[in-house]
Amino acid sequence: GIGAPDETKKAMRSAILALKRNSNNAGWFGYVNNQPAHTGLSGAGILSLQLMGSIADREVKNGIDWCTKNLSFDWDKPEQPRPLYVWYYLTQAYFHEGGRNWNNWNSLFSKTLAGKQNIIRGASADGKDIGFWETPGPSEKEYGRVYDTTLCALMLQVYYRYLPTYAKISTTDTAKSLDYDKALVEVTIRQR
């Protein structure tokens, strides 16, 4: 419900059209056209369209369908190059889509990531454990542990970083459920 200047709306429409031109009917997304340069772009393209409000558009639906049929989460035998990059965007795209695809993906990736974390017991200066991930395939090793750990940690935090775009939230209902006036009075009384 937040208003936006006309220039912003025009830029968003242009961005949506450009993303759609970079997808094809099969569901792939490319960098500069609709030819897949990297399978990870499908998740990134889907997520970008979802976040700009195009969650029900054909390109998003085709992309989700293609990813569900062609991309898997198998830590021990990743099928695509740069699997963490691919999985990072797919996790967010499936989360925003919700439903069966998200439930299936969530049950695979969350348990696997938790189990694949490397832990060095008592390694920090204050004796706490240090946890990290290392990419399952050779293609991302060049980016290192910080990259790998960041993507894995962000995937596991997807529940806390976003509201799913498929969930409609009524500001009126939210205000009623929070009862702002009552909360304000309680806070004021506690401060005195």
Side-chain angles (χ1 to χ4, degrees):
I2 298 174
D6 288 340
E7 308 87 51
T8 303
K9 291 176 187 175
K10 184 178 177 184
M12 292 283 284
R13 284 191 297 273
S14 294
I16 290 169
L17 291 174
L19 278 164
K20 288 181 176 186
R21 280 193 300 273
N22 286 4
S23 80
N24 66 17
N25 289 333
W28 322 21
F29 284 75
Y31 278 113
V32 293
N33 57 35
N34 62 9
Q35 300 304 310
H38 179 326
T39 54
L41 293 175
S42 293
I46 293 164
L47 177 64
S48 296
L49 286 172
Q50 289 171 325
L51 293 177
M52 288 190 283
S54 297
I55 195 161
D57 290 3
R58 176 182 54 83
E59 294 81 3
V60 170
K61 297 294 183 191
N62 288 349
I64 291 285
D65 290 343
W66 185 85
C67 289
T68 302
K69 292 173 188 165
N70 295 286
L71 301 177
S72 64
F73 188 91
D74 186 342
W75 187 275
D76 297 317
K77 295 180 184 174
E79 298 172 350
Q80 57 275 344
R82 296 182 176 81
L84 291 179
Y85 178 90
V86 173
W87 299 336
Y88 169 76
Y89 284 105
L90 282 178
T91 298
Q92 294 175 81
Y94 285 139
F95 175 76
H96 286 289
E97 182 209 12
R100 187 187 69 221
N101 288 329
W102 164 245
N103 291 334
N104 292 338
W105 183 261
N106 186 35
S107 68
L108 286 172
F109 98 88
S110 60
K111 291 176 189 170
T112 301
L113 282 184
K116 294 295 182 177
Q117 183 181 26
N118 297 293
I119 300 173
I120 303 171
R121 304 277 177 213
S124 72
D126 60 355
K128 293 184 180 177
D129 298 345
I130 293 176
F132 64 92
W133 285 269
E134 288 184 310
T135 191
S139 61
E140 283 178 307
K141 294 264 188 246
E142 64 202 68
Y143 302 124
R145 284 184 182 165
V146 172
Y147 171 86
D148 299 341
T149 300
T150 299
L151 291 185
C152 290
L154 288 171
M155 282 189 275
L156 289 171
Q157 295 172 16
V158 72
Y159 323 97
Y160 312 107
R161 293 181 11 215
Y162 300 107
L163 288 173
T165 54
Y166 60 84
K168 301 288 186 216
I169 296 175
S170 163
T171 53
T172 305
D173 291 343
T174 303
K176 284 180 188 174
S177 69
L178 292 176
D179 197 355
Y180 286 124
D181 293 334
K182 182 179 176 187
L184 181 61
V185 169
E186 289 174 5
V187 169
T188 305
I189 291 170
R190 278 191 218 126
Q191 289 176 345
R192 290 184 181 166

